[in-house]
Every structure is written in structure tokens, then in C-alpha cells.
Amino acid sequence: MRIFLSALLFLAISSVYAQNTISGVVLDASNQDQLAFVNIYFPDLEKGAATDENGRFSIENLPSGSYNILFSMIGYETQSLKLIIPSTEDIEIKLTPSAIEMQSIIISTPFHKLQRDNVMKVEQKSIKDLKTKGAVTLADGITNIAGVESVTTGMGIGKPVIRGLSSNRVVVYTQGVRLENQQFGGEHGLGLSDAGVESVEVIKGPASLLYGSDALGGVLYLNPERFAEEGTSNGDLGANYFSNTQGFNTSASFKTSENNWKFLFRGSLAEHSDYDTEDYRVTNTRFREQDFKAGVGYQVSKFKTEFRYNVNHSKLGIPEEIGEQSTNKTPLLPYQDITNHVMSSKSTVFFNDSRLDINIGYIYNDRKEFEEEHDHDEDEEHEEEDHDEEEHHDEEDHDDDILEAALHMKLKTANYDVKYSLPQLGKFETIFGVQGMHQTNSNYGEEELIPDATTNDFGILGTSHIHFEKADIQIGARFDTRTIDVLNGLNKSFESFNGAFGVKTDIAKNLTTRVNLATGFRAPNLSELTSDGSHEGTNRYEIGNENLKSEQNFQADLSLEFQNEHLELFANGFYNKINNYIFLSPDGSFVNDDPVFLYLQDDAYLYGGEFGFHLHPHPIDWLHFESSFEMVTGKLDDDSYLPLIPANTLTNMVRIEFEKNWIQDGYAFVKLLTAFDQNNVGDFETATDGYSLLSAGLGGSFEVFNNDVQVTISGTNLTNKTYISHLSRLKTDGIYNIGRSINLGFIFKL
């Protein structure tokens, strides 16, 4: 592999680079007026420009080949076209006025198309949009995406749920590489900050064709913020305040691009105290998060590369019962201390009519857990100091040099993803690729949640997008192997062949349908194979099963979308059959007063979907009515219900958009979310009552000292409703979710 990469680098550096230039004009299709400040962008090349006052543009230093180019502007429909370079003709583009939001390229699927041109249905939301809704964390923000929820332990710990599946059944990608941070654990969160993340994409359903094992339930794909445009420098300062937790997050960045080089730096800090319900504060839901991101990129005509680094350090309280009532921000025992390093390299070599993409990543997850009951083997003086600290709960940080972590795991993961995009052959766009992962888990604490082990993955895939006059088809196949070697001698290997087929077509005027059929798989994780001990977070003794087989699923998706200048309607339905579904079941015995649970398997199935509309009546295009309904049901073959399935929800929102001389990109909204009763519960769950939550917000951009300032004000749970989410891990103790919060935010552009 090293020789292979060196050869590619030599090829890129030694190439004779073409210096192609394109130019043109952008017009309004309705009146032929020239449009200023239209955004023009090559997603594959990560190069762009904007039109001048006369609607003209010019982009230099472009490689020969065939590339997608985007033209986008607020108030107009985004246009994408295939451009063959070199081109000597002046380009004329006409944009159609539209009240529909601008579309962006979908990065998580291999052919990088606008969603309307994509065969696979993918949800995409900008982080800016999610934060305007008052989200405290990234895990909280993604719940605003249709079909996505979060299993939470307080406010600081959350993990994504896509159509009822979570943990190792959902893969998370950040900076273009797969995130590995012991995500199987019930109280293990994402370990990522939304600072420096531009947008979130969600693939709902099996994505093993693209991402291998564990993508059985879907993919959460986080797109990092872009580098500065060529020849520019900018930065920003931002802060948010949350009244409920008396918490805040701050962020600062600087980025510059000059002479083929690009640099980016961003730092952020967040601190929150225990969240408040109407009746009490939930003790030890406090947390502190520090995050730093950096990036460097280099680009010439035929070659581009970038390296990004992210370190995230979090101290997260683990709530157990209602106790101390304070607004202190230092976590009490028990708490997690987690440092997550993500290093990624992303390179592309452009040939005349094809390309080679090479992504390499290294993730180092250092996870510690400190517990009250743990014997730290210190002298009496230290024990007395710890006791005093617990009694008085002062604001001094816990001294981790004195406290010994009861649980300490280091997970080190190296992965690679190499894809070659073949020259387009008639109607066929085709990609072949290989992906792999080498992972080691090591224990350093007195407790052992999972054993020392090594995991290796390898997969090979091929996929094609076929363009017909009235339909687009996407097909693909993949073969994967996974081996797990445990230090105690257990050796397991798993293999799987998976495929996918999808078609998109217009069945009537303004009515588009997508049908996707796909298989996926998930190999058993180390906890399911090797557990043998008490799980403190759930008060049970878990015993693994080394004879577990891989989960294998088949899912059918049907999507219908209607769209005209006044109205958008959508209906997404799915049926997901999972063979060898892994679950926990008690055997009736006890160890140290904890009930014994065994890992078993049975076939399961899930079904449901998302349905809704978006009304923006002409000519009052500034007024928007949006409504959506989400439902999912999950069962084992014996008709018993699966646990942690989100309740059906209905969301209604009224939103207005406005611009004045003193404010740009202004907006205001009122939203009502209704969660229905969840009576379809697993064998060890209880039913959950429904509830309705009212939220509202407004914001916009102002000019201060010749710089833009974005200001947001939002309120969540405005009626201060006391409620419990079915996906809250504090539900078994009857602890409410967060109450009313007023959130203020600003971003000052430098």
C-alpha cells in the first residue's frame, strides 16, 4: 500500500498541469436580468467563484475532464450541469426563480449529485439551520431531521437512532472517515462537536454497499466546513447562551487560501450545568467539552489533497438519581473523561476523464470512567479528600492523577477508502473501490467492559449510475470480510456479500418516485461476543455469546415527491427485514444481586416512514407552512416489540423569511412537536405517555462596523411541559427531560 500511494503522489507531482479557464454569465430566466453574487462551485474540485455586478464570472486553473458545476442563489432553483473542460465557449446560465430552499451536493453518496438527481433518498440539513432550533449539542440537533432520533442520557450523552436502529447498527462519518469511539455502549455518545461542521447528511436504511459492516441501519455523515475561497481570508467569533442549563458554547475560527495552499483553524468550548425540569434539576447531567479543529489543503490543476485534525475532550456527568440542586458545572462522580483524536487525509488525482480518490484516517479514542464505589487503592488521606469533595461539591476539577479510572479503554483505528471513478461510458458512470480497517482495543483500568482485541475489515465494491431519458438507475455489489481476534484466544471471522438496486423516475408532471432495494449486514461486536460481568449502567450481569452470527437485512424503500411553485408533498415508506437480530434476554438467575442477561438471536422486522408537506403560497413566498409525520414499528418474529423504538411524532411549523435595509436573511418560526403515546414496548420497557412541545425563534444578519453579525433567539419547550421521552435512559427512574430554555446566539464575521 505504501508503494502504491508513493507512486500516486509521484504521478500527481510530475504531471504537466493544464491551465484551463472558463467564463460566462448568469441570467434570470424570467426577465433575462443579469444576476450578481450567484455562487458558482465545482464540488469535485472544491473550487468556486461568484458573479460580479454584471452577472459575469471567470474561474482559472481548472484540469481537463468532465465535472459537475453548481449555480446557486437564494430565491432561485439551484442548477447543476456537466461541463467538459477545456471549453472555449462562453457559458450562459439561466436560473429559475423559486421559493424552494437552495440544494447542495450530496457528499455521502458516491456520485455527488443534487438530491433531486440522486437515486437514493438522503436527508441533508445545515448545522446553521439545526442550531436556530435551539439545539444544545450535535446529538440533540440531528433529531430535527425526519426519521432521526437520539437515545439520550441527560443532555451531554446522545447517540443517533435512524428508523428505530442505533449503536453499532448506525455508522458515523466525520472528515470523510469512519468514526470509531466504542459506540456500542449505551452511555457512549458521539464524542464530536458541531463547531466546524457545515452540514449533516443521513442515509436511512442499509448502506453496507458504500460503508461495509455496521451500516445495516443507516449512516450519519458529517461534512466539515469548507476552506476559504482562493485568494481570501476570513474568520468568525460566535457564542450561544442557554438559560435552562445556564450554559454556553463559544467558537472562534480563522481560515485563509493563497497560492494553492489553504489553512483552517477552529477552537470551541462548551459548559453546561444540570438541566432543569419544572420540578428539579437533574443531578450530574452537567458536562464540559473542548474542541479544536485544524486543516491544511494543497491544490493544483490535476491534484488536490487535504489533512484535517480534530481533538475533542469531554467530561460528562453520568446521572443516577436526583440529588444535589445547584448550577455547578464540574461533573460529580460517576463521570466520563473522553479524549477523541480524528486525523484524516483526503486526496484526489484527476486524469483527463477519470479520477482516483484516496481517504485515509486514524482515530484514537481514550475513554475513562470514574466511579464513586470504586476502590482507588489510595491512602486514607486521599480517600478523605475525595469524600470531602463529594460532600461539598466545590467547583474545583476532580484530580484525575489522584482518582484512578475504574474503566479505561484505548481504541485505535486506522482505516482507508480508495475509489476509482472510471471514464463515463455512454449512459454509465461507474466506481470501483476498496475499503479497510485495522483496530485495536486495550484495557488499562481495573474493570474490563470488553477484552483486548484486534479487528480487521476488508471490502471491495463496484457501483454504477445509469442515465436514461426518463429514469436513472443505480446498481452495485460488495464483498466484505471481518476478523476479530481476542487476547484470550477467541478468533472469529465473518463474511458477507451485499447488493443494492435503485431507480428514480418522474411518473407524472412534478411527481417523482424513488424505489430502492438493498441488503446490509452487521458482524457481532466484542460486547455481544465476550461480555461476562456486571454492566453498571444498566444494573445487570451480561454474558456474551461467541456463537452469534452476523445480522443480515433486506430493506425496501419507496419515496414519492410532488413539487410545484406553491407546494411540496413527500411520502417515504420502508420495510426492513433483519435475520439473526441480536438482543438481550434474562435467564432468570442472579449474580451479586444483578439479573443475568444473555445475548440471543431471532429474526426481526421494522416498518414505517415519513410523510409531510411544505406550502409556500405564491406570491407571498416569504410565508411557509411545514408539516411532517414520522412512524416506525419494530418486532421480533414472535410478535414481541423491539426496545428503544421512537414514538410516532407529528411536527407542524409556520416560518417566515424577510429582508430589510437593516437586516438580511431574516426569519421567524413557531413549531409544535407532538409525540404520541408509545404503547408498543419491549419486554423490559414500560409505556410512555405522549406530549407536545412548543418552540419558537427568530434571527437574521446585521452589519456592524462593516462586518456581518448573525443573531439568533430561540425558545424550546416554551410551556415548560414536564415529560419523558421514550428514548431517554433516565426513563426507568422516572426522571423528566429538559424544561423551558431560552437560547441566545451570535456569530461575528471577521
Side-chain angles (χ1 to χ4, degrees):
M1 175 62 72
R2 184 178 301 173
I3 295 174
F4 175 63
L5 295 177
S6 298
L8 291 176
L9 184 60
F10 174 78
L11 174 64
I13 295 175
S14 61
S15 296
V16 178
Y17 304 118
Q19 300 293 321
N20 298 308
T21 298
I22 65 165
S23 59
V25 64
V26 182
L27 307 175
D28 186 314
S30 61
N31 55 27
Q32 309 305 307
D33 286 348
Q34 297 166 336
L35 294 176
F37 311 117
V38 175
N39 183 48
I40 303 157
Y41 189 64
F42 284 93
D44 295 333
L45 304 175
E46 298 184 25
K47 291 178 69 72
T51 57
D52 60 19
E53 292 81 356
N54 299 315
R56 296 201 61 83
F57 66 92
S58 178
I59 305 177
E60 301 176 344
N61 195 26
L62 297 171
S64 300
S66 178
Y67 305 100
N68 287 323
I69 182 172
L70 294 184
F71 298 85
S72 60
M73 184 179 184
I74 294 177
Y76 291 84
E77 183 178 332
T78 300
Q79 187 170 147
S80 172
L81 62 87
K82 198 76 148 180
L83 185 65
I84 298 176
I85 300 174
S87 174
T88 58
E89 297 181 3
D90 210 37
I91 302 170
E92 182 178 277
I93 298 297
K94 296 181 179 181
L95 297 185
T96 303
S98 174
I100 301 169
E101 287 79 0
M102 292 189 304
Q103 290 195 13
S104 298
I105 285 288
I106 300 298
I107 304 298
S108 57
T109 54
F111 296 100
H112 297 177
K113 298 182 181 296
L114 292 172
Q115 178 52 53
R116 67 167 178 258
D117 301 321
N118 221 31
V119 173
M120 183 181 295
K121 178 68 174 177
V122 179
E123 301 286 349
Q124 184 189 67
K125 293 290 185 181
S126 70
I127 289 295
K128 177 183 175 182
D129 180 59
L130 298 181
K131 294 182 77 169
T132 61
K133 305 298 192 299
V136 176
T137 64
L138 179 60
D140 182 29
I142 61 175
T143 62
N144 289 287
I145 301 174
V148 183
E149 295 291 341
S150 182
V151 176
T152 62
T153 306
M155 291 301 297
I157 303 174
K159 59 176 30 140
V161 179
I162 300 179
R163 288 177 167 174
L165 298 177
S166 62
S167 298
N168 274 89
R169 297 181 177 98
V170 172
V171 166
V172 178
Y173 259 62
T174 181
Q175 298 177 188
V177 297
R178 174 173 169 151
L179 178 69
E180 292 288 316
N181 64 347
Q182 307 283 10
Q183 61 269 24
F184 68 89
E187 294 178 344
H188 297 175
L190 283 173
L192 295 171
S193 168
D194 59 21
V197 178
E198 183 172 292
S199 62
V200 179
E201 297 176 10
V202 179
I203 300 176
K204 293 177 286 190
S208 291
L209 170 66
L210 304 177
Y211 298 104
S213 178
D214 299 351
L216 178 143
V219 174
L220 181 71
Y221 197 99
L222 308 176
N223 293 311
E225 64 180 310
R226 298 178 185 176
F227 289 98
E229 292 185 6
E230 188 172 349
T232 66
S233 298
N234 58 70
D236 62 61
L237 297 171
N240 290 272
Y241 174 77
F242 304 87
S243 66
N244 185 285
T245 62
Q246 297 187 19
F248 65 88
N249 62 46
T250 60
S251 177
S253 78
F254 173 76
K255 48 188 175 180
T256 184
S257 176
E258 193 71 45
N259 297 326
N260 301 328
W261 288 94
K262 306 174 184 180
F263 299 93
L264 179 152
F265 306 93
R266 179 176 294 277
S268 64
L269 171 67
E271 283 193 329
H272 293 268
S273 60
D274 299 337
Y275 76 78
D276 190 22
T277 68
E278 185 181 11
D279 298 338
Y280 47 77
R281 288 193 177 273
V282 181
T283 308
N284 211 24
T285 53
R286 61 194 74 174
F287 64 94
R288 186 173 193 265
E289 180 182 56
Q290 299 164 286
D291 190 87
F292 175 75
K293 292 181 173 72
V296 57
Y298 177 74
Q299 183 168 0
V300 287
S301 181
K302 287 282 190 179
F303 175 72
K304 69 183 177 86
T305 186
E306 67 179 52
F307 174 81
R308 292 183 186 253
Y309 171 67
N310 174 212
V311 57
N312 183 283
H313 178 231
S314 301
K315 283 193 173 183
L316 308 165
I318 301 176
E320 294 184 314
E321 59 185 15
I322 303 302
E324 175 200 87
Q325 297 292 289
S326 77
T327 55
N328 294 339
K329 294 182 172 62
T330 301
L332 307 170
L333 293 170
Y335 70 92
Q336 296 177 357
D337 187 306
I338 305 166
T339 303
N340 204 46
H341 303 266
V342 180
M343 288 159 273
S344 63
S345 169
K346 180 181 176 183
S347 302
T348 303
V349 181
F350 296 99
F351 306 105
N352 284 340
D353 50 7
S354 62
R355 57 184 286 178
L356 183 68
D357 295 293
I358 306 168
N359 291 355
I360 300 173
Y362 182 75
I363 299 92
Y364 173 30
N365 179 258
D366 189 357
R367 178 179 295 275
K368 301 176 184 177
E369 186 171 307
F370 298 87
E371 302 174 1
E372 287 181 287
E373 298 82 3
H374 182 66
D375 180 6
H376 301 296
D377 297 326
E378 300 292 337
D379 58 29
E380 196 69 31
E381 180 181 353
H382 286 157
E383 291 181 5
E384 186 64 32
E385 288 174 359
D386 293 344
H387 178 71
D388 290 341
E389 183 178 41
E390 180 185 347
E391 284 292 316
H392 297 289
H393 305 302
D394 58 36
E395 281 295 304
E396 294 299 319
D397 225 358
H398 292 298
D399 186 353
D400 294 348
D401 292 330
I402 294 176
L403 291 177
E404 178 190 346
L407 180 70
H408 186 188
M409 297 186 292
K410 294 183 180 180
L411 189 70
K412 302 174 183 179
T413 307
N415 52 43
Y416 59 89
D417 181 353
V418 180
K419 291 191 178 77
Y420 178 63
S421 301
L422 278 66
Q424 184 165 341
L425 182 61
K427 301 178 183 295
F428 285 77
E429 291 182 74
T430 302
I431 294 174
F432 288 103
V434 294
Q435 296 172 335
M437 179 181 78
H438 174 75
Q439 182 178 91
T440 60
N441 182 74
S442 303
N443 286 277
Y444 297 87
E446 293 188 15
E447 295 181 8
E448 187 175 287
L449 189 61
I450 61 174
D452 294 357
T454 300
T455 301
N456 285 289
D457 284 0
F458 176 78
I460 183 168
L461 68 98
T463 181
S464 290
H465 188 115
I466 311 168
H467 306 270
F468 293 105
E469 183 177 348
K470 295 185 178 181
D472 286 270
I473 292 176
Q474 188 168 317
I475 58 174
R478 177 183 180 121
F479 177 76
D480 282 276
T481 65
R482 166 170 286 189
T483 61
I484 301 176
D485 296 309
V486 181
L487 188 62
N488 65 12
L490 178 66
N491 182 284
K492 301 290 291 185
S493 63
F494 304 92
E495 296 180 349
S496 182
F497 180 85
N498 291 280
F501 170 84
V503 59
K504 178 190 78 74
T505 186
D506 295 330
I507 57 177
K509 184 179 180 180
N510 300 327
L511 181 60
T512 300
T513 183
R514 292 179 174 86
V515 178
N516 282 276
L517 309 174
T519 63
F521 87 108
R522 182 182 76 90
N525 61 46
L526 282 171
S527 180
E528 295 162 339
L529 291 169
T530 62
S531 287
D532 188 8
S534 294
H535 194 292
E536 302 298 338
T538 55
N539 296 317
R540 62 191 179 211
Y541 193 98
E542 296 183 4
I543 298 178
N545 181 354
E546 63 181 53
N547 296 315
L548 293 174
K549 301 176 182 178
S550 291
E551 295 180 340
Q552 189 79 42
N553 79 325
F554 172 80
Q555 180 165 313
D557 284 88
L558 173 63
S559 171
L560 293 171
E561 300 170 29
F562 173 83
Q563 180 177 300
N564 63 20
E565 62 176 329
H566 306 291
L567 178 67
E568 299 171 60
L569 298 170
F570 69 89
N572 307 321
F574 75 95
Y575 180 84
N576 188 1
K577 175 66 174 177
I578 306 177
N579 295 326
N580 301 319
Y581 185 88
I582 300 172
F583 62 96
L584 278 165
S585 180
D587 70 351
S589 63
F590 289 82
V591 175
N592 298 327
D593 297 326
D594 288 333
V596 174
F597 278 68
L598 307 177
Y599 281 99
L600 303 177
Q601 289 187 296
D602 196 359
D603 294 343
Y605 59 96
L606 300 96
Y607 59 90
E610 305 86 37
F611 315 90
F613 73 90
H614 176 190
L615 175 65
H616 37 85
H618 189 73
I620 51 175
D621 296 329
W622 50 267
L623 180 62
H624 299 259
F625 299 94
E626 300 177 36
S627 182
S628 64
F629 176 72
E630 306 169 23
M631 62 169 292
V632 59
T633 299
K635 288 185 174 184
L636 291 171
D637 261 11
D638 63 5
D639 272 348
S640 62
Y641 289 99
L642 297 178
L644 294 176
I645 298 296
N648 297 342
T649 59
L650 175 65
T651 303
N652 293 291
M653 182 166 66
V654 178
R655 178 167 54 93
I656 62 173
E657 298 171 348
F658 54 90
E659 289 197 12
K660 303 291 183 182
N661 291 333
W662 52 277
I663 185 173
Q664 301 295 316
D665 301 329
Y667 70 89
F669 73 89
V670 177
K671 182 176 77 170
L672 180 67
L673 181 148
T674 300
F676 296 90
D677 294 347
Q678 178 55 295
N679 297 315
N680 301 334
V681 297
D683 290 341
F684 317 109
E685 293 182 313
T686 57
T688 304
D689 293 335
Y691 51 86
S692 293
L693 303 178
L694 180 67
S695 60
L698 71 159
S701 296
F702 306 85
E703 187 173 303
V704 178
F705 304 123
N706 296 320
N707 293 95
D708 287 338
V709 178
Q710 297 175 2
V711 178
T712 61
I713 305 172
S714 63
T716 56
N717 193 4
L718 290 173
T719 61
N720 215 16
K721 174 76 174 179
T722 54
Y723 73 100
I724 299 177
S725 167
H726 189 69
L727 297 187
S728 170
R729 291 195 175 275
L730 305 182
K731 176 178 179 291
T732 55
D733 296 316
I735 296 175
Y736 295 134
N737 285 73
I738 190 170
R740 180 193 299 120
S741 185
I742 306 300
N743 313 315
L744 308 175
F746 79 90
I747 299 176
F748 186 77
K749 301 285 188 177
L750 302 176

